[in-house]
Amino acid sequence: MRLTIFWERMRAHFGETYADSFARDHVMSELGGRTVIQALDDGWEAKDVWRAVCAAMDVPASHR
């Protein structure tokens, strides 16, 4: 998954403003105690980060 697709999905699910806030501020156990931004900066694949977000936030299958 490209980062552009990842961010499109984040914004589609969380909204333009909250997607950025969530990615910067929400520490997720699914990402080893990292935020989305930290996980991406640490080299996690965007698809794996998106899967973690989906699992943690109960993203409906239609948005995955």
Side-chain angles (χ1 to χ4, degrees):
M1 171 186 290
R2 290 197 223 171
L3 278 175
T4 54
I5 301 299
F6 172 82
W7 287 112
E8 285 174 9
R9 290 183 181 183
M10 286 286 289
R11 290 181 185 110
H13 182 71
F14 293 107
E16 191 73 28
T17 304
Y18 186 63
D20 181 61
S21 176
F22 177 88
R24 282 184 290 110
D25 301 330
H26 189 80
V27 175
M28 299 177 57
S29 61
E30 295 84 356
L31 297 175
R34 295 173 180 84
T35 65
V36 166
I37 298 293
Q38 289 170 330
L40 292 170
D41 286 348
D42 286 349
W44 284 54
E45 294 289 329
K47 67 180 178 183
D48 296 328
V49 175
W50 178 244
R51 287 179 184 148
V53 170
C54 290
M57 303 307 293
D58 293 323
V59 174
S62 62
H63 291 164
R64 294 179 185 202

